[in-house]
């Protein structure tokens, strides 16, 4: 089968033939239909310091996908060929104390698809049945392909009660823009987004952000003044990984407010902990998705009319991966989706 593989310790990926993955009795085999390119994949493509420290080669890349089940293992009861599925890309151990307590998102032995084990940029994948999510009938393939970052946004937004609240989001990448959409859907009174990239600010506004502000020193203070807000934001999300944005987030959340951290600064960033303590700020780390609570919430949000489609700005066939990664790495893209095959329409 064809797959996009990081074969050598250098920039780029190879579109090569590899053997189809083997399959155990608790697994399902899936034909991949669409995949989303994530920032993680761009780091791996570039072969930056993080990728060099984290990956062992060769590695099939990718974790955002939608596919169609083609075969189920003998020990798999509830799934069947033809079903349109995604999967939780953090494969959990099912043995640690957190897994056994039903908090799989906290698993201590989690393995990332396309990072610690072979990923989804391939014609076929096999995955444990316990990681599979069955999509609602009629879902757009493009939207199904981006359930992973959509889930990051829903996990972040639903960490706090946003109804009637004022919300600041620093970073209007796909997850930041989707978080704005979810916050508005949850009834936030005011959602403001900052980014250095005008294209991404526009995308966040298309998805529902009330205010989109170019990130610059003093920009959030000026926005608060323009809005006549003499307090900070009730809830602030840092989604850029930029140290200056983290500083803006922590300093513009109101007394007693809540901060959600999803962006990953490349280095440790100092913070004024005394100020955070005296202002009684709650800081909450957010990673991945709750398994599968977040997935159920996504299904309900789509049914209620939230539409992530404007986020998908580019589509390429899988063999045009060079063009696709160039688009994803460049500023004027939302999500870039690769096509691997079309659904057969076999009855699910
Ligand atoms: Zn991702
Ligand atoms: Zn575990």
């Amino acid at each position: 089968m064809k797959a996009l593989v990081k074969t050598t310790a250098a920039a780029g990926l190879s579109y090569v033939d590899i053997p189809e993955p083997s399959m155990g009795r608790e697994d399902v085999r899936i034909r991949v239909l669409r995949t989303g390119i994530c920032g993680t994949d761009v780091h791996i493509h570039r072969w930056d310091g993080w990728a060099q420290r984290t990956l062992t080669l060769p590695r099939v890349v990718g974790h955002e996908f939608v596919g169609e089940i083609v075969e189920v293992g003998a020990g798999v009861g509830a799934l069947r060929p033809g079903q349109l599925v995604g999967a939780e890309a953090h494969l959990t151990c099912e043995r640690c104390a957190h897994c056994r307590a039903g908090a799989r998102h906290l698993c201590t032995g989690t393995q990332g698809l396309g990072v610690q084990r072979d990923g989804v940029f391939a014609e076929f994948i096999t995955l444990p049945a316990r990681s599979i999510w069955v999509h609602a009938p009629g879902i757009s393939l493009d939207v199904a392909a981006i359930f992973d970052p959509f889930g990051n946004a829903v996990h972040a937004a639903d960490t706090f009660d946003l109804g009637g609240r004022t919300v600041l989001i620093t970073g209007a990448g796909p997850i930041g823009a989707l978080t704005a959409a979810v916050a508005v859907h949850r009834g936030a009174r005011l959602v403001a987004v900052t980014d250095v990239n005008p294209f991404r600010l526009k995308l966040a506004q298309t998805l529902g952000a009330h205010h989109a502000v170019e990130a610059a020193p003093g920009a959030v203070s000026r926005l608060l003044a323009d809005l006549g807000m003499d307090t900070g934001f009730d809830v602030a999300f840092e989604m850029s990984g930029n140290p200056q944005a983290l500083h803006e987030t922590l300093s513009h959340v109101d007394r007693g407010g809540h901060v959600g951290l999803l962006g990953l600064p490349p280095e440790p960033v100092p913070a004024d902990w005394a100020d955070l303590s005296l202002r009684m700020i709650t800081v909450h780390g957010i990673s991945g998705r709750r398994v599968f609570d977040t997935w159920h919430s996504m299904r309900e949000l789509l049914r209620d009319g939230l539409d992530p489609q404007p986020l998908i700005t580019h589509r390429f066939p899988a063999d045009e991966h060079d063009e696709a990664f160039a688009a994803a790495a460049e500023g004027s893209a939302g999500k870039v989706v690769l096509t691997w095959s079309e659904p057969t329409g076999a009855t699910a």
Side-chain angles (χ1 to χ4, degrees), residues 98 113 137 170 198 207 231 253 289 293 336:
H98 292 301
L113 269 183
T170 51
L207 281 161
T231 63
V253 66
R289 297 144 297 279
D293 326 25
V336 178

Side-chain angles (χ1 to χ4, degrees), residues 244-265:
Q244 184 58 33
L246 176 57
H247 175 71
E248 293 279 324
T249 305
L250 295 175
S251 50
H252 290 102
V253 66
D254 194 13
R255 290 175 72 83
H258 292 79
V259 174
L261 295 184
L262 203 120
L264 302 175

Side-chain angles (χ1 to χ4, degrees), residues 93-94 96 99 107-108:
C93 76
E94 307 302 311
C96 74
C99 279
C107 174
T108 53

Side-chain angles (χ1 to χ4, degrees), residues 75-296:
V76 177
L79 299 168
R80 57 192 185 281
Q83 283 180 312
L84 195 66
V85 295
E88 172 50 53
H90 291 153
L91 296 179
T92 50
C93 76
E94 307 302 311
R95 290 187 299 274
C96 74
H98 292 301
C99 279
R100 288 165 57 120
R104 292 164 71 187
H105 62 294
L106 300 177
C107 174
T108 53
T110 193
Q111 288 198 314
L113 269 183
V115 180
Q116 281 91 16
R117 57 180 277 173
D118 280 341
V120 303
F121 289 176
E123 288 182 280
F124 293 94
I125 47 166
T126 59
L127 289 168
R130 65 171 188 272
S131 299
I132 298 298
W133 170 260
V134 179
H135 283 292
I139 190 171
S140 138
L141 290 180
D142 287 345
V143 170
I146 64 161
F147 255 45
D148 188 278
F150 183 26
N152 291 140
V154 171
H155 183 189
D158 286 354
T159 297
F160 311 107
D161 179 4
L162 299 183
R165 304 299 171 100
T166 56
V167 177
L168 172 67
I169 300 168
T170 51
I175 297 171
L178 284 167
T179 302
V182 180
V184 170
H185 200 89
R186 295 293 189 220
R189 180 163 65 79
L190 185 152
V191 177
V193 177
T194 71
D195 201 289
V196 289
N197 180 328
F199 178 86
R200 292 191 150 184
L201 288 172
K202 190 117 195 82
L203 212 50
Q205 275 185 308
T206 306
L207 281 161
H210 303 119
H211 300 276
V213 180
E214 196 178 326
V220 179
S221 300
R222 281 194 296 279
L223 174 68
L224 286 168
D226 289 349
L227 294 169
M229 286 170 63
D230 48 12
T231 63
F233 292 88
D234 298 318
V235 182
F237 295 99
E238 205 309 285
M239 300 202 148
S240 71
N242 179 296
Q244 184 58 33
L246 176 57
H247 175 71
E248 293 279 324
T249 305
L250 295 175
S251 50
H252 290 102
V253 66
D254 194 13
R255 290 175 72 83
H258 292 79
V259 174
L261 295 184
L262 203 120
L264 302 175
E267 321 245 299
V269 180
D272 186 346
W273 295 104
D275 168 65
L276 296 176
S277 176
L278 290 168
R279 291 195 296 123
M280 292 167 274
I281 306 300
T282 302
V283 177
H284 205 301
I286 298 158
S287 181
R289 297 144 297 279
R290 287 177 177 268
V291 189
F292 277 92
D293 326 25
T294 302
W295 297 73
H296 285 285

